[in-house]
Amino acid sequence: MMFSDLDSLQINCGQRSQQIALLQSMRSTPDDRLLALLSNTVQPWKQFSNPEQYQENALIGYGRTNWVINQKLMELRDNCRSNP
């Protein structure tokens, strides 16, 4: 899932468990973040040849993707309390 899809993900309390599982599975590890930054550093021409991938690597590398995942999980927690 691309960052733009993740950022626009609509919270659905009826599918709370599935959305939590999906979001948790999308988290990047410290190694993923390092490799994303390293890829952009070692291949700077990607900024011009494949700008979407370059931007996606930057978002992963700087932790923006995990931050959005945390925000969506907090939204699920705060807005879907009555559903198990």
Side-chain angles (χ1 to χ4, degrees), residues 28-80:
S28 55
T29 65
D31 287 342
D32 294 335
R33 292 178 62 193
L34 179 64
L35 286 174
L37 286 175
L38 187 61
S39 174
N40 281 359
T41 302
V42 175
Q43 301 171 339
W45 59 85
K46 274 183 140 178
Q47 185 173 5
F48 306 105
S49 65
N50 192 351
E52 294 85 15
Q53 184 62 48
Y54 186 88
Q55 180 66 23
E56 196 71 23
N57 284 345
L59 292 168
I60 291 169
Y62 293 116
R64 176 74 176 158
T65 304
N66 282 349
W67 184 85
V68 170
I69 290 170
N70 290 340
Q71 295 303 309
K72 296 293 180 180
L73 288 170
M74 285 191 286
E75 204 175 320
L76 276 165
R77 181 196 66 202
D78 295 341
N79 297 331
C80 302

